[in-house]
Coordinates of all heavy atoms in Angstrom, one line a residue:
T1119 N 0.8 -1.2 0.0 CA 0.0 0.0 0.0 C 0.9 1.3 0.0 O 0.4 2.3 -0.5 CB -0.9 0.0 1.2 OG1 -0.2 -0.1 2.4 CG2 -1.9 -1.1 1.1
R1120 N 2.1 1.2 0.6 CA 2.9 2.3 0.6 C 3.3 2.7 -0.8 O 3.5 3.9 -1.1 CB 4.2 2.1 1.5 CG 3.9 2.2 2.9 CD 5.2 2.4 3.7 NE 6.1 1.2 3.4 CZ 7.2 1.0 4.1 NH1 7.6 1.8 5.0 NH2 8.0 0.0 3.8
V1121 N 3.5 1.8 -1.6 CA 4.0 2.1 -3.0 C 2.9 2.8 -3.7 O 3.1 3.8 -4.4 CB 4.3 0.8 -3.8 CG1 4.6 1.1 -5.2 CG2 5.5 0.1 -3.1
L1122 N 1.6 2.4 -3.6 CA 0.5 3.0 -4.3 C 0.3 4.4 -3.7 O 0.0 5.4 -4.5 CB -0.8 2.2 -4.1 CG -0.7 0.8 -4.8 CD1 -2.0 0.1 -4.6 CD2 -0.5 1.0 -6.3
V1123 N 0.4 4.6 -2.4 CA 0.2 5.9 -1.8 C 1.3 6.8 -2.3 O 1.1 8.0 -2.6 CB 0.2 5.8 -0.3 CG1 0.2 7.2 0.4 CG2 -1.1 5.1 0.2
G1124 N 2.5 6.3 -2.3 CA 3.7 7.1 -2.8 C 3.5 7.6 -4.3 O 3.8 8.7 -4.6
M1125 N 2.9 6.7 -5.1 CA 2.7 7.0 -6.5 C 1.6 8.1 -6.6 O 1.8 9.1 -7.4 CB 2.2 5.8 -7.3 CG 3.3 4.8 -7.6 SD 2.9 3.3 -8.3 CE 1.5 3.7 -9.4
V1126 N 0.6 8.0 -5.8 CA -0.5 9.0 -5.9 C 0.0 10.4 -5.4 O -0.2 11.4 -6.0 CB -1.7 8.6 -5.1 CG1 -2.7 9.7 -4.9 CG2 -2.4 7.4 -5.7
V1127 N 0.7 10.4 -4.3 CA 1.3 11.6 -3.8 C 2.3 12.2 -4.8 O 2.2 13.5 -5.0 CB 2.0 11.4 -2.4 CG1 2.8 12.6 -2.0 CG2 0.9 11.0 -1.4
R1128 N 3.1 11.4 -5.4 CA 4.1 11.9 -6.3 C 3.4 12.5 -7.5 O 3.8 13.6 -8.0 CB 5.0 10.8 -6.8 CG 6.1 11.3 -7.7 CD 7.0 10.2 -8.3 NE 7.4 9.2 -7.4 CZ 7.0 7.9 -7.5 NH1 6.3 7.5 -8.6 NH2 7.4 7.0 -6.7
L1129 N 2.3 11.9 -8.0 CA 1.6 12.4 -9.2 C 0.9 13.8 -8.9 O 0.8 14.7 -9.7 CB 0.6 11.4 -9.7 CG 1.2 10.2 -10.5 CD1 0.2 9.2 -10.8 CD2 1.9 10.7 -11.7
M1130 N 0.3 13.8 -7.7 CA -0.4 15.1 -7.3 C 0.7 16.2 -7.1 O 0.4 17.3 -7.6 CB -1.1 14.9 -5.9 CG -2.2 13.9 -6.0 SD -3.5 14.4 -7.2 CE -4.3 15.6 -6.2
V1131 N 1.8 16.0 -6.5 CA 2.8 17.0 -6.4 C 3.4 17.4 -7.7 O 3.6 18.6 -8.0 CB 3.9 16.5 -5.4 CG1 5.1 17.4 -5.4 CG2 3.4 16.4 -4.0
L1132 N 3.6 16.4 -8.6 CA 4.1 16.7 -9.9 C 3.1 17.5 -10.7 O 3.5 18.5 -11.4 CB 4.3 15.4 -10.6 CG 4.9 15.4 -12.0 CD1 6.3 16.0 -12.0 CD2 4.9 14.1 -12.7
A1133 N 1.8 17.3 -10.6 CA 0.8 18.1 -11.3 C 0.8 19.5 -10.9 O 0.7 20.4 -11.7 CB -0.6 17.4 -11.2
V1134 N 0.8 19.7 -9.6 CA 0.8 21.1 -9.0 C 2.1 21.8 -9.4 O 2.0 23.0 -9.9 CB 0.6 21.0 -7.5 CG1 0.8 22.4 -6.9 CG2 -0.8 20.5 -7.1
L1135 N 3.2 21.2 -9.3 CA 4.5 21.9 -9.6 C 4.6 22.1 -11.1 O 5.1 23.2 -11.5 CB 5.7 21.0 -9.2 CG 5.9 21.0 -7.7 CD1 7.1 20.1 -7.3 CD2 6.1 22.4 -7.1
T1136 N 4.0 21.3 -12.0 CA 4.1 21.5 -13.4 C 3.2 22.7 -13.8 O 3.6 23.5 -14.5 CB 3.6 20.2 -14.1 OG1 4.4 19.1 -13.8 CG2 3.6 20.4 -15.6
W1137 N 2.0 22.8 -13.2 CA 1.1 23.9 -13.4 C 1.8 25.2 -13.0 O 1.7 26.2 -13.7 CB -0.2 23.7 -12.7 CG -1.2 24.8 -12.9 CD1 -1.9 25.0 -14.0 CD2 -1.4 25.9 -12.0 NE1 -2.6 26.1 -13.9 CE2 -2.4 26.7 -12.7 CE3 -1.0 26.2 -10.8 CZ2 -2.8 27.8 -12.0 CZ3 -1.4 27.3 -10.2 CH2 -2.4 28.1 -10.8
I1138 N 2.4 25.2 -11.8 CA 3.0 26.4 -11.3 C 4.2 26.8 -12.2 O 4.3 28.0 -12.6 CB 3.5 26.2 -9.8 CG1 2.3 26.1 -8.9 CG2 4.4 27.3 -9.4 CD1 2.7 25.8 -7.5
C1139 N 5.0 25.9 -12.6 CA 6.2 26.2 -13.4 C 5.8 26.7 -14.8 O 6.4 27.6 -15.3 CB 7.1 25.0 -13.5 SG 8.0 24.6 -12.0
L1140 N 4.8 26.1 -15.4 CA 4.4 26.5 -16.8 C 3.5 27.7 -16.8 O 3.6 28.5 -17.8 CB 3.7 25.3 -17.5 CG 4.7 24.1 -17.8 CD1 3.9 23.0 -18.4 CD2 5.8 24.5 -18.6
T1141 N 2.7 28.0 -15.9 CA 1.8 29.2 -15.9 C 2.4 30.4 -15.2 O 2.4 31.5 -15.7 CB 0.4 28.8 -15.4 OG1 0.5 28.4 -14.1 CG2 -0.2 27.8 -16.3
V1142 N 2.8 30.2 -14.0 CA 3.3 31.3 -13.1 C 4.7 31.7 -13.5 O 4.9 32.9 -13.7 CB 3.1 30.9 -11.6 CG1 3.6 32.1 -10.8 CG2 1.7 30.6 -11.3
L1143 N 5.6 30.8 -13.6 CA 7.0 31.1 -13.9 C 7.3 31.3 -15.3 O 8.4 31.8 -15.7 CB 7.9 30.0 -13.2 CG 7.8 29.8 -11.7 CD1 8.7 28.7 -11.3 CD2 8.1 31.1 -11.0
N1144 N 6.4 30.9 -16.2 CA 6.6 31.0 -17.7 C 8.0 30.4 -18.1 O 8.7 31.0 -18.9 CB 6.5 32.5 -18.1 CG 5.1 33.0 -17.9 OD1 4.2 32.3 -18.1 ND2 5.0 34.3 -17.6
L1145 N 8.2 29.2 -17.7 CA 9.5 28.5 -18.2 C 9.3 28.0 -19.6 O 8.2 27.8 -20.1 CB 9.8 27.3 -17.2 CG 10.1 27.6 -15.8 CD1 10.3 26.4 -15.0 CD2 11.3 28.5 -15.7
V1146 N 10.4 27.7 -20.3 CA 10.4 27.2 -21.6 C 9.9 25.7 -21.5 O 10.5 24.9 -20.7 CB 11.8 27.2 -22.2 CG1 11.9 26.6 -23.6 CG2 12.3 28.6 -22.2
Q1147 N 9.0 25.4 -22.3 CA 8.3 24.1 -22.1 C 9.2 22.9 -22.5 O 9.2 21.9 -21.8 CB 7.1 24.0 -23.0 CG 6.0 24.9 -22.6 CD 4.7 24.9 -23.4 OE1 4.7 24.1 -24.4 NE2 3.7 25.6 -23.1
V1148 N 10.0 23.0 -23.5 CA 10.9 21.9 -23.9 C 12.0 21.6 -22.8 O 12.2 20.5 -22.4 CB 11.5 22.1 -25.2 CG1 12.5 21.0 -25.6 CG2 10.5 22.2 -26.3
A1149 N 12.6 22.7 -22.3 CA 13.6 22.5 -21.3 C 13.0 22.0 -20.0 O 13.6 21.1 -19.3 CB 14.3 23.9 -21.0
F1150 N 11.8 22.5 -19.7 CA 11.1 22.0 -18.5 C 10.8 20.5 -18.6 O 11.0 19.8 -17.7 CB 9.9 22.8 -18.2 CG 9.1 22.3 -17.0 CD1 9.5 22.6 -15.7 CD2 7.9 21.6 -17.2 CE1 8.8 22.1 -14.7 CE2 7.2 21.2 -16.2 CZ 7.6 21.4 -14.9
A1151 N 10.3 20.1 -19.8 CA 9.9 18.7 -20.0 C 11.1 17.8 -19.9 O 11.0 16.7 -19.3 CB 9.2 18.6 -21.3
L1152 N 12.2 18.2 -20.5 CA 13.4 17.4 -20.4 C 14.0 17.3 -19.0 O 14.3 16.2 -18.5 CB 14.5 17.9 -21.3 CG 14.2 17.7 -22.8 CD1 15.3 18.4 -23.6 CD2 14.2 16.3 -23.1
S1153 N 14.0 18.4 -18.3 CA 14.5 18.3 -16.9 C 13.6 17.5 -16.0 O 14.0 16.8 -15.1 CB 14.8 19.7 -16.3 OG 13.5 20.4 -16.3
L1154 N 12.3 17.7 -16.2 CA 11.3 16.9 -15.4 C 11.4 15.4 -15.7 O 11.4 14.6 -14.8 CB 9.9 17.4 -15.8 CG 8.8 16.8 -15.0 CD1 8.8 17.2 -13.5 CD2 7.4 17.2 -15.6
M1155 N 11.6 15.0 -17.0 CA 11.8 13.6 -17.3 C 13.0 13.0 -16.6 O 13.0 11.9 -16.1 CB 11.9 13.5 -18.8 CG 12.0 12.0 -19.3 SD 12.1 11.9 -21.1 CE 13.6 12.8 -21.4
I1156 N 14.1 13.7 -16.7 CA 15.4 13.2 -16.1 C 15.3 13.1 -14.6 O 15.6 12.1 -14.0 CB 16.6 14.2 -16.5 CG1 16.8 14.0 -18.0 CG2 17.8 13.8 -15.7 CD1 17.8 15.0 -18.6
S1157 N 14.7 14.2 -14.0 CA 14.6 14.1 -12.5 C 13.6 13.1 -12.0 O 13.8 12.4 -11.0 CB 14.1 15.5 -12.0 OG 12.9 15.8 -12.4
F1158 N 12.5 12.9 -12.8 CA 11.6 11.8 -12.4 C 12.2 10.5 -12.5 O 12.0 9.6 -11.7 CB 10.3 11.9 -13.4 CG 9.2 11.0 -13.0 CD1 8.5 11.2 -11.8 CD2 8.9 9.9 -13.7 CE1 7.4 10.4 -11.5 CE2 7.9 9.0 -13.4 CZ 7.2 9.3 -12.2
F1159 N 13.0 10.2 -13.6 CA 13.7 8.9 -13.7 C 14.6 8.7 -12.6 O 14.7 7.6 -12.0 CB 14.4 8.9 -15.1 CG 15.2 7.7 -15.3 CD1 14.6 6.5 -15.6 CD2 16.6 7.7 -15.2 CE1 15.3 5.3 -15.8 CE2 17.3 6.5 -15.4 CZ 16.7 5.3 -15.7
L1160 N 15.4 9.7 -12.2 CA 16.3 9.6 -11.1 C 15.6 9.3 -9.8 O 16.1 8.5 -9.0 CB 17.2 10.8 -11.0 CG 18.2 11.0 -12.1 CD1 18.9 12.4 -11.9 CD2 19.2 9.9 -12.1
F1161 N 14.5 10.0 -9.5 CA 13.8 9.8 -8.3 C 13.2 8.4 -8.2 O 13.1 7.8 -7.2 CB 12.7 10.8 -8.1 CG 13.2 12.2 -7.6 CD1 12.8 13.3 -8.2 CD2 14.2 12.2 -6.6 CE1 13.3 14.5 -7.8 CE2 14.7 13.4 -6.2 CZ 14.3 14.6 -6.8
V1162 N 12.7 7.9 -9.3 CA 12.1 6.5 -9.4 C 13.3 5.5 -9.1 O 13.1 4.5 -8.4 CB 11.4 6.2 -10.7 CG1 11.1 4.8 -10.9 CG2 10.2 7.0 -10.8
M1163 N 14.4 5.7 -9.6 CA 15.6 4.8 -9.4 C 15.9 4.9 -7.9 O 16.2 3.8 -7.3 CB 16.8 5.2 -10.2 CG 16.6 5.1 -11.7 SD 16.4 3.3 -12.2 CE 18.1 2.8 -11.9
V1164 N 16.0 6.0 -7.3 CA 16.3 6.2 -5.9 C 15.3 5.5 -5.0 O 15.6 4.8 -4.0 CB 16.5 7.6 -5.5 CG1 16.5 7.8 -3.9 CG2 17.7 8.2 -6.1
E1165 N 14.0 5.6 -5.4 CA 12.9 5.0 -4.6 C 13.0 3.5 -4.7 O 12.8 2.8 -3.7 CB 11.6 5.5 -5.1 CG 10.4 5.0 -4.3 CD 9.1 5.5 -4.8 OE1 9.0 6.1 -5.9 OE2 8.1 5.2 -4.2
G1166 N 13.3 3.0 -5.9 CA 13.4 1.5 -6.1 C 14.6 1.0 -5.3 O 14.5 -0.1 -4.7
F1167 N 15.7 1.7 -5.2 CA 16.8 1.3 -4.5 C 16.5 1.3 -3.0 O 16.9 0.4 -2.2 CB 18.0 2.2 -4.8 CG 19.3 1.8 -4.1 CD1 20.0 0.7 -4.5 CD2 19.8 2.6 -3.1 CE1 21.1 0.3 -3.9 CE2 21.0 2.2 -2.4 CZ 21.6 1.0 -2.8
F1168 N 15.7 2.3 -2.5 CA 15.3 2.4 -1.1 C 14.5 1.2 -0.7 O 14.7 0.6 0.3 CB 14.6 3.7 -0.9 CG 13.9 3.8 0.5 CD1 14.7 4.0 1.6 CD2 12.6 3.6 0.6 CE1 14.1 4.0 2.9 CE2 12.0 3.7 1.8 CZ 12.7 3.9 3.0
F1169 N 13.5 0.9 -1.6 CA 12.6 -0.3 -1.2 C 13.4 -1.6 -1.3 O 13.1 -2.5 -0.5 CB 11.4 -0.3 -2.2 CG 10.3 0.6 -1.8 CD1 9.9 1.6 -2.6 CD2 9.7 0.6 -0.5 CE1 8.9 2.5 -2.3 CE2 8.7 1.4 -0.1 CZ 8.3 2.4 -1.0
H1170 N 14.3 -1.7 -2.2 CA 15.2 -2.9 -2.2 C 16.0 -3.1 -1.0 O 16.0 -4.2 -0.4 CB 16.1 -2.8 -3.5 CG 17.1 -4.0 -3.5 ND1 16.7 -5.3 -3.8 CD2 18.4 -4.0 -3.3 CE1 17.7 -6.0 -3.7 NE2 18.8 -5.3 -3.5
L1171 N 16.6 -2.0 -0.5 CA 17.4 -2.1 0.8 C 16.5 -2.4 1.9 O 16.8 -3.2 2.8 CB 18.1 -0.8 1.0 CG 19.3 -0.5 0.1 CD1 19.9 0.9 0.5 CD2 20.4 -1.6 0.3
Q1172 N 15.3 -1.8 2.0 CA 14.4 -2.1 3.1 C 13.9 -3.5 3.0 O 13.8 -4.2 4.1 CB 13.2 -1.1 2.9 CG 12.3 -1.1 4.1 CD 11.2 -0.1 4.0 OE1 10.8 0.2 2.9 NE2 10.8 0.5 5.1
H1173 N 13.7 -4.1 1.9 CA 13.3 -5.5 1.7 C 14.4 -6.4 2.2 O 14.2 -7.4 2.9 CB 12.9 -5.8 0.3 CG 12.7 -7.2 0.0 ND1 11.6 -7.9 0.5 CD2 13.5 -8.1 -0.6 CE1 11.7 -9.2 0.1 NE2 12.8 -9.3 -0.6
E1174 N 15.6 -6.1 1.8 CA 16.8 -6.9 2.2 C 17.0 -6.9 3.7 O 17.4 -7.9 4.3 CB 18.1 -6.4 1.5 CG 18.1 -6.7 0.0 CD 18.1 -8.2 -0.3 OE1 18.8 -9.0 0.5 OE2 17.5 -8.6 -1.3
Q1175 N 16.7 -5.8 4.4 CA 16.9 -5.7 5.8 C 15.8 -6.5 6.6 O 16.1 -7.0 7.7 CB 16.9 -4.2 6.3 CG 18.2 -3.5 5.8 CD 18.1 -2.0 6.2 OE1 17.1 -1.5 6.6 NE2 19.2 -1.3 5.9
N1176 N 14.6 -6.5 6.0 CA 13.5 -7.2 6.7 C 13.4 -8.6 6.4 O 12.4 -9.3 6.9 CB 12.2 -6.4 6.3 CG 12.2 -5.1 6.9 OD1 12.8 -4.8 7.9 ND2 11.4 -4.2 6.3
K1177 N 14.2 -9.2 5.5 CA 14.1 -10.6 5.2 C 14.4 -11.5 6.4 O 15.3 -11.2 7.2 CB 15.1 -11.0 4.1 CG 14.5 -10.9 2.7 CD 15.3 -11.7 1.7 CE 16.6 -11.2 1.3 NZ 17.1 -11.9 0.1
K1178 N 13.6 -12.6 6.5 CA 13.8 -13.5 7.6 C 14.5 -14.8 7.0 O 14.2 -15.1 5.9 CB 12.5 -13.9 8.2 CG 11.9 -12.7 8.9 CD 10.5 -13.1 9.5 CE 9.9 -11.9 10.1 NZ 8.5 -12.2 10.6
P1179 N 15.4 -15.4 7.7 CA 16.0 -16.6 7.2 C 15.0 -17.7 7.0 O 14.0 -17.9 7.8 CB 17.0 -17.0 8.2 CG 16.6 -16.3 9.5 CD 15.8 -15.1 9.1
F1180 N 15.2 -18.5 6.0 CA 14.3 -19.7 5.7 C 14.6 -20.8 6.7 O 15.7 -21.2 6.8 CB 14.5 -20.1 4.3 CG 13.7 -21.3 3.9 CD1 12.3 -21.1 3.7 CD2 14.2 -22.6 3.8 CE1 11.5 -22.2 3.4 CE2 13.4 -23.6 3.4 CZ 12.1 -23.5 3.2
V1181 N 13.5 -21.2 7.4 CA 13.6 -22.3 8.3 C 12.7 -23.4 7.8 O 11.5 -23.2 7.7 CB 13.2 -21.9 9.8 CG1 13.3 -23.1 10.7 CG2 14.1 -20.8 10.2
K1182 N 13.3 -24.6 7.6 CA 12.5 -25.7 7.1 C 12.0 -26.5 8.3 O 12.8 -26.9 9.2 CB 13.4 -26.6 6.2 CG 12.6 -27.7 5.5 CD 13.4 -28.4 4.5 CE 12.5 -29.4 3.8 NZ 13.3 -30.1 2.7
R1183 N 10.7 -26.6 8.4 CA 10.1 -27.4 9.5 C 9.5 -28.7 8.9 O 9.2 -28.8 7.8 CB 9.0 -26.6 10.1 CG 9.5 -25.4 10.9 CD 8.3 -24.7 11.5 NE 7.8 -23.7 10.5 CZ 6.7 -23.1 10.6 NH1 5.9 -23.3 11.6 NH2 6.3 -22.3 9.7
K1184 N 9.4 -29.7 9.8 CA 8.8 -30.9 9.5 C 7.3 -30.7 9.3 O 6.6 -30.1 10.1 CB 9.0 -31.9 10.6 CG 8.5 -33.3 10.3 CD 8.7 -34.2 11.4 CE 8.0 -35.5 11.1 NZ 8.0 -36.4 12.3
R1185 N 6.9 -31.2 8.1 CA 5.4 -31.0 7.8 C 4.7 -32.3 8.3 O 5.1 -33.4 8.1 CB 5.2 -30.9 6.3 CG 5.8 -29.6 5.8 CD 5.7 -29.5 4.3 NE 4.2 -29.5 4.0 CZ 3.7 -29.6 2.8 NH1 4.6 -29.7 1.7 NH2 2.5 -29.5 2.5
T1186 N 3.6 -32.0 9.0 CA 2.8 -33.1 9.5 C 1.3 -32.8 9.1 O 0.9 -31.7 9.1 CB 2.9 -33.3 11.0 OG1 2.5 -32.0 11.6 CG2 4.3 -33.6 11.5
R1187 N 0.6 -33.9 8.7 CA -0.8 -33.7 8.3 C -1.7 -33.5 9.5 O -2.6 -32.7 9.5 CB -1.2 -34.8 7.5 CG -0.6 -34.9 6.2 CD -1.1 -36.1 5.4 NE -1.8 -35.5 4.3 CZ -2.5 -36.3 3.4 NH1 -2.5 -37.6 3.6 NH2 -3.1 -35.7 2.4
F1188 N -1.4 -34.3 10.6 CA -2.3 -34.2 11.8 C -1.4 -34.1 13.0 O -1.0 -35.0 13.6 CB -3.1 -35.5 11.9 CG -3.9 -35.8 10.7 CD1 -3.5 -36.8 9.8 CD2 -5.0 -35.0 10.4 CE1 -4.3 -37.1 8.7 CE2 -5.8 -35.3 9.2 CZ -5.4 -36.3 8.4
P1189 N -1.0 -32.8 13.4 CA 0.0 -32.6 14.5 C -0.5 -33.2 15.8 O 0.2 -33.8 16.5 CB 0.1 -31.1 14.5 CG -0.7 -30.5 13.5 CD -1.4 -31.6 12.7
D1190 N -1.8 -33.1 16.1 CA -2.3 -33.6 17.4 C -2.3 -35.1 17.4 O -1.9 -35.7 18.4 CB -3.8 -33.1 17.6 CG -3.9 -31.6 17.8 OD1 -2.9 -31.0 18.1 OD2 -5.0 -31.1 17.5
Y1191 N -2.6 -35.7 16.3 CA -2.6 -37.2 16.2 C -1.1 -37.7 16.3 O -0.9 -38.7 17.0 CB -3.2 -37.6 14.9 CG -3.2 -39.1 14.7 CD1 -4.2 -39.9 15.3 CD2 -2.2 -39.8 14.0 CE1 -4.2 -41.3 15.2 CE2 -2.2 -41.1 13.8 CZ -3.2 -41.9 14.4 OH -3.2 -43.2 14.2
D1192 N -0.2 -37.0 15.7 CA 1.2 -37.4 15.7 C 1.8 -37.3 17.1 O 2.6 -38.1 17.5 CB 2.0 -36.6 14.7 CG 1.7 -37.0 13.3 OD1 1.1 -38.0 13.1 OD2 2.0 -36.2 12.4
Q1193 N 1.4 -36.3 17.8 CA 1.9 -36.1 19.2 C 1.3 -37.2 20.1 O 2.0 -37.7 21.0 CB 1.6 -34.7 19.7 CG 2.4 -33.6 19.1 CD 2.0 -32.3 19.6 OE1 1.1 -32.1 20.4 NE2 2.8 -31.3 19.1
R1194 N 0.0 -37.5 20.0 CA -0.6 -38.4 20.9 C -0.1 -39.9 20.7 O 0.1 -40.6 21.6 CB -2.1 -38.4 20.8 CG -2.7 -37.2 21.5 CD -4.2 -37.3 21.6 NE -4.7 -36.0 21.2 CZ -5.8 -35.8 20.5 NH1 -6.5 -36.8 20.1 NH2 -6.2 -34.6 20.3
Y1195 N 0.0 -40.2 19.4 CA 0.2 -41.6 19.0 C 1.6 -41.8 18.4 O 1.7 -42.6 17.4 CB -0.9 -42.1 18.1 CG -2.3 -42.0 18.8 CD1 -3.2 -41.0 18.3 CD2 -2.6 -42.8 19.8 CE1 -4.4 -40.9 18.9 CE2 -3.9 -42.7 20.4 CZ -4.7 -41.7 20.0 OH -6.0 -41.6 20.6
S1196 N 2.6 -41.2 18.9 CA 3.9 -41.3 18.3 C 4.5 -42.6 18.7 O 4.2 -43.2 19.8 CB 4.8 -40.2 18.6 OG 5.0 -40.1 20.0
R1197 N 5.5 -43.2 18.0 CA 6.1 -44.4 18.4 C 7.1 -44.3 19.5 O 7.6 -45.2 20.0 CB 6.8 -45.0 17.1 CG 5.8 -45.4 16.1 CD 6.5 -46.0 14.9 NE 5.6 -46.3 13.9 CZ 5.2 -47.6 13.5 NH1 5.7 -48.6 14.1 NH2 4.3 -47.8 12.6
E1198 N 7.4 -43.0 19.8 CA 8.4 -42.8 20.9 C 7.8 -43.2 22.2 O 8.6 -43.5 23.2 CB 8.8 -41.3 20.9 CG 9.5 -40.9 19.6 CD 9.7 -39.4 19.6 OE1 9.2 -38.7 20.5 OE2 10.3 -38.9 18.6
D1199 N 6.5 -43.2 22.4 CA 5.9 -43.5 23.7 C 5.9 -45.0 23.9 O 5.8 -45.4 25.1 CB 4.4 -43.0 23.7 CG 4.3 -41.5 23.6 OD1 5.3 -40.9 24.0 OD2 3.2 -41.0 23.2
E1200 N 6.1 -45.8 22.9 CA 6.0 -47.3 23.1 C 7.3 -47.8 23.7 O 8.3 -47.4 23.7 CB 5.8 -48.0 21.8 CG 4.4 -47.6 21.2 CD 4.2 -48.2 19.9 OE1 5.2 -48.9 19.3 OE2 3.1 -48.1 19.3

C-alpha cells in the first residue's frame, strides 16, 4: 500500500508543480519537460533502491520445518511413547 500511496502523492505534487512552473513562472516548455523527465527517472531509481534495501533488511531466514498432516494425532500416538 505504501507504493500506491507514494505514487499518488508523487503524481499530485508533480501536477501542481508542473502547473506552477508552466503558468506562473513561464518556463520554456521543452527545457522544463526534459529536466522533469530526467529528475523523475532519477527519483524513481532512488525509490526503487530504497525499497530494495528495506526489503533486504527485513528478510527472515528460511527455516525448514517438518510437515505433519495431523499434528495432534502425531503427538498423541507417536512411536516414541512405546
